[in-house]
């Protein structure tokens, strides 16, 4: 079994362990309800375009994560000629995001198995309080030795520094024993490549890029057990 050669497994959170798409739509619906705007899928797509554009700028180091999270709602509500306090709306949105069970099917069973054979970690780009609340609400903390969140460690995927800090913290002697598992080529896989560890792409978005190649590719996270 390929997975046997690794000792440390680093998991991305959003769209790897947690179904971020499902959580986002629910939170977005609640936000529109607050503003008396009727939800439709097209509005969510418009929001997503703005949100993704800003997160890509963040990954390139052009803006901070705080700018992403306040600016996304200012830009979205501008479509309705509404002026909002971007921070206030974002805090409300993140409150909604953190509610409820958002796990993909089979994740708990997978972690139960892996926790007896490997050391597990979370390596996530995101806001500390949001990610901790979501981990707690989904009962995930007990499976992980340590949780690494970009906002808290002061560096982010795909930066080499983010991974250097993690490898140092968990006292890795041999980088060949570390596997990064995540759904995003431009952060999870590129980051693993930057620091020289193996990676496994959870290909739920069906993306590919000839310049960012993962070591392994699986269709969904629980397929890791078949690797
Ligand atoms: Mg992700």
């Amino acid at each position: 079994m390929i997975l046997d050669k690794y000792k440390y497994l680093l998991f991305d959170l959003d769209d790897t362990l947690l179904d971020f798409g499902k959580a986002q739509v629910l939170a977005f619906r609640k936000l529109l309800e607050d503003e008396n705007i009727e939800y439709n899928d097209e509005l969510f797509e418009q929001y997503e375009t703005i949100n993704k554009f800003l997160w890509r700028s963040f990954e390139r180091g052009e803006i901070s994560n705080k700018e992403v999270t306040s600016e996304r709602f200012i830009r979205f509500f501008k479509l309705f000629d509404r002026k909002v306090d971007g921070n206030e709306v974002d805090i409300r949105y993140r409150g909604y995001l953190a509610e409820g069970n958002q796990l993909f099917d089979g994740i708990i069973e997978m972690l139960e198995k892996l926790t007896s054979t490997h050391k597990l970690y979370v390596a996530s780009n995101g806001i500390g309080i949001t990610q901790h609340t979501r981990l707690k609400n989904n009962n995930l903390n007990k499976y992980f030795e340590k949780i690494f969140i970009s906002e808290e460690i002061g560096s982010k995927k795909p930066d080499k520094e983010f991974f250097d800090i993690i490898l140092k913290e968990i006292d890795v002697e041999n980088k060949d024993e570390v596997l990064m598992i995540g759904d995003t080529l431009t952060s999870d896989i590129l980051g693993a490549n930057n620091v020289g560890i193996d990676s496994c792409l959870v290909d739920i978005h069906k993306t590919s890029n000839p310049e960012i190649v993962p070591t392994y590719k699986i269709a969904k996270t629980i397929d890791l057990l078949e690797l």
Side-chain angles (χ1 to χ4, degrees):
M1 191 185 183
I2 284 177
L3 216 51
D4 291 343
K5 77 182 236 205
Y6 301 101
K7 194 168 160 189
Y8 311 97
L9 304 181
L10 311 181
F11 284 93
D12 168 55
L13 200 54
D14 291 317
D15 280 349
T16 298
L17 298 177
L18 299 178
D19 186 345
F20 194 52
K22 192 159 87 184
Q24 271 188 311
V25 172
L26 289 173
F28 184 74
R29 268 178 185 270
K30 284 189 181 171
L31 206 60
L32 291 191
E33 257 172 49
D34 292 346
E35 305 291 327
N36 286 316
I37 297 169
E38 202 179 328
Y39 172 87
N40 64 57
D41 292 344
E42 206 177 299
L43 289 181
F44 183 71
E45 277 163 33
Q46 281 176 305
Y47 163 74
E48 265 292 87
T49 305
I50 294 168
N51 188 41
K52 278 186 182 154
F53 174 82
L54 292 168
W55 278 115
R56 294 296 167 260
S57 304
F58 167 75
E59 284 169 11
R60 291 192 298 268
E62 295 161 2
I63 54 175
S64 69
N65 58 8
K66 284 268 184 288
E67 284 171 295
V68 174
T69 54
S70 70
E71 188 62 27
R72 58 189 180 179
F73 292 111
I74 293 173
R75 291 194 188 187
F76 175 75
F77 284 107
K78 225 184 208 167
L79 301 173
F80 297 89
D81 285 324
R82 292 194 197 182
K83 233 183 166 169
V84 298
D85 176 341
N87 271 324
E88 184 280 319
V89 177
D90 187 64
I91 288 167
R92 208 155 13 105
Y93 177 71
R94 281 192 275 128
Y96 294 147
L97 256 190
E99 288 174 6
N101 182 324
Q102 306 153 7
L103 286 163
F104 285 116
D105 290 344
I107 292 293
I108 293 293
E109 292 79 357
M110 178 193 77
L111 293 174
E112 288 281 353
K113 277 189 192 147
L114 291 176
T115 198
S116 61
T117 51
H118 294 75
K119 284 186 183 288
L120 312 183
Y121 302 87
V122 168
S124 161
N125 273 357
I127 311 295
I129 185 156
T130 310
Q131 303 304 57
H132 285 296
T133 310
R134 298 172 71 221
L135 285 162
K136 186 169 165 271
N137 285 353
N138 290 285
N139 281 319
L140 288 179
N141 283 312
K142 62 182 175 209
Y143 301 108
F144 298 100
E145 306 283 324
K146 204 151 185 192
I147 312 287
F148 297 101
I149 314 276
S150 61
E151 187 194 40
E152 293 171 348
I153 66 175
S155 182
K156 64 188 189 313
K157 297 177 284 187
D159 296 350
K160 183 174 175 288
E161 195 195 6
F162 177 86
F163 291 92
D164 281 337
I165 292 169
I166 293 177
L167 299 188
K168 195 165 172 243
E169 279 272 325
I170 62 184
D171 220 3
V172 169
E173 280 177 19
N174 181 359
K175 279 201 282 191
D176 295 346
E177 293 179 337
V178 186
L179 180 68
M180 173 73 214
I181 301 123
D183 67 288
T184 306
L185 283 169
T186 52
S187 57
D188 304 308
I189 308 306
L190 180 60
N193 291 353
N194 284 343
V195 77
I197 60 173
D198 284 353
S199 63
C200 180
L201 176 69
V202 180
D203 198 19
I204 62 166
H205 313 292
K206 307 256 183 284
T207 47
S208 74
N209 179 332
E211 281 164 24
I212 309 173
V213 180
T215 319
Y216 314 104
K217 202 197 259 194
I218 53 181
K220 52 187 193 300
T221 309
I222 57 169
D223 295 345
L224 198 59
L225 294 173
E226 317 296 326
L227 203 65

